[in-house]
Amino acid sequence: MARALRVLAQLMGWSCVVIGVFHVVLGNAAIPGAGSAGTTVDSWGRFMGASFVGYGLAWLWVARQRPVPAQAVRWLAGVFLLGGVGRLISLAVHGWPQWFQTALAVIELGLPPVFFWLAAAGERAWRGEAGTLPAGR
């Protein structure tokens, strides 16, 4: 389980970094259906892209720790889940988005429970090996 969590956290981290850079570089062109959204949305999207790079770097930092800190995984997965909830609110208020945004919502709502499960399993396995966890793990 620890290896699966580490690999999935690395994949999440690198994906977020690449997507974030993509948004910083391309602005509105990186968002399907938002090509003519204007300068305010372009500015906001580039800023959020940089924030997503930071989020990805946090995942990469977590993946490098031994053991992978379950509490940090829970927080990062919770933030990702909150993004999916935001998409659901948008769907309820404004209707269905472009199809790719819907696919992203499925990932954002489906992947966090996997992280929660792997973090809990990794924590239990680590406790079994070491007896107790260090503070914050």
Side-chain angles (χ1 to χ4, degrees):
M1 293 295 171
R3 178 161 167 66
L5 178 58
R6 185 172 319 286
V7 169
L8 193 57
Q10 288 172 340
L11 179 62
M12 181 74 155
W14 284 115
S15 296
C16 292
V17 167
V18 169
I19 291 166
V21 168
F22 187 65
H23 281 266
V24 169
V25 171
L26 295 180
N28 284 346
I31 305 168
S36 62
T39 57
T40 301
V41 173
D42 183 78
S43 175
W44 178 82
R46 290 175 197 265
F47 173 82
M48 293 308 294
S51 298
F52 209 54
V53 169
Y55 177 71
L57 292 174
W59 273 109
L60 292 173
W61 178 83
V62 162
R64 293 185 53 151
Q65 306 306 304
R66 302 271 193 249
V68 173
Q71 192 65 19
V73 168
R74 287 185 192 101
W75 276 101
L76 290 169
V79 168
F80 200 61
L81 181 61
L82 184 59
V85 170
R87 290 193 196 269
L88 288 179
I89 293 169
S90 179
L91 181 122
V93 172
H94 298 288
W96 289 95
Q98 197 265 355
W99 71 268
F100 189 69
Q101 303 299 315
T102 303
L104 291 174
V106 170
I107 293 168
E108 292 157 356
L109 295 168
L111 194 54
V114 174
F115 276 115
F116 296 145
W117 177 73
L118 286 172
E123 199 170 52
R124 283 191 304 274
W126 201 88
R127 278 192 180 129
E129 291 173 14
T132 60
L133 284 174
R137 297 275 183 183

